[in-house]
Amino acid sequence: MNKIKILQMQMPVLADKEENLSAAACACRAAASEGVDLVALPEMFCCPYDTANFPIYAEGENGPVLSRCSSLAKTYGIYLSAGSVPERGEDGAVYNTACVFDRNGRQIARHRKVHLFDIDVEGGQSFRESDTLTAGNSITTFDTEFGVLGLCVCYDFRFPEMGRFMADRGARLILVPAAFNPTTGPAHWELMFRAQSMFNQVFTVGTAPALDLSGSYHSWGHSIAVSPWGNVISQMGTEAGYQLVELDLSEADSVRRQLPLLEHRRTDLYTLKENER
């Protein structure tokens, strides 16, 4: 199956977990009525994006938030890319973790953010995820009825290797829950998604929180979907809401045949090798 219909939910992230979960439930309900296959939620969709909040909101893998996400996927018969959440691992560390659930509510992917967002832009944003978060150590792809999909979180996607590894594993669509800000968003958001799509000849879908000026962190919003040719299919503004996109993943195969970038790599001169763990 090549055609996939996606609902991207650009929601404000409130201090109350239950209100955030109610918004996610509304998105899933709307998706079911629209014949949607997959709902995508934003980064830290249940926790205001602030380093001090992450340990407070963190839950185990089978905690209430992810359990509710599993139930929503099963209830509405959809795939649910449950943005990301602060997850407390068995080791006690807190991770920025993205999960995907299938139509039966089974968790089919879990990605702990590999690259922590520690930046200090002169005259702009300063943030240190490493103050309270621990980095993951895996690249994540997973099988679906639509073929192989990729998954990473926000800052991960700034690293070209991430997209290439996922494409090498067969991904034709990469899901990216993210939360750029008004400093990095205008400069790099669209550029990053178009570049990763063009270089790796994949669809990319980035889903962000809505802008909330009352919060300590201001999301750039602009949830986006980009084609394997590097064209923007659809992009929101900063406001809350959702957008529907229908993608034909066979377009990735077509682009790769017409412009065989992956085939033409000179692996006799350079290689990209994933470390075995």
Side-chain angles (χ1 to χ4, degrees), residues 66-225:
L66 292 179
S67 295
R68 180 77 174 276
C69 289
S70 170
S71 178
L72 287 172
K74 184 176 181 178
T75 297
Y76 293 103
I78 57 172
Y79 287 88
L80 177 57
S81 175
S84 76
V85 301
E87 176 216 0
R88 190 173 298 280
E90 293 181 357
D91 56 1
V94 178
Y95 300 90
N96 185 343
T97 301
C99 294
V100 178
F101 300 89
D102 69 11
R103 297 184 191 273
N104 296 312
R106 182 174 62 95
Q107 186 184 117
I108 55 174
R110 182 177 65 161
H111 176 81
R112 289 171 168 172
K113 190 174 187 178
V114 171
H115 304 89
L116 297 183
F117 187 56
D118 288 2
I119 63 145
D120 188 8
V121 178
E122 187 174 348
Q125 184 76 31
S126 180
F127 204 88
R128 285 187 57 84
E129 279 190 326
S130 66
D131 285 346
T132 55
L133 294 178
T134 297
N137 60 7
S138 63
I139 295 160
T140 305
T141 55
F142 57 101
D143 293 323
T144 72
E145 68 201 72
F146 307 99
V148 177
L149 307 187
L151 177 68
C152 64
V153 178
C154 198
Y155 193 52
D156 282 340
F157 215 36
R158 281 184 175 270
F159 296 84
E161 300 89 345
M162 293 294 287
R164 179 53 51 87
F165 275 129
M166 289 185 275
D168 277 350
R169 290 183 179 184
R172 297 182 296 173
L173 165 63
I174 298 174
L175 303 170
V176 189
F180 274 38
N181 57 66
T183 299
T184 59
H188 300 142
W189 175 262
E190 181 179 316
L191 176 64
M192 179 183 73
F193 280 96
R194 294 188 67 190
Q196 284 279 28
S197 286
M198 183 273 291
F199 284 127
N200 296 302
Q201 301 176 310
V202 294
F203 286 95
T204 57
V205 171
T207 307
L211 173 64
D212 179 4
L213 293 175
S214 68
S216 61
Y217 184 88
H218 297 159
S219 171
W220 173 240
H222 286 78
S223 295
I224 192 170

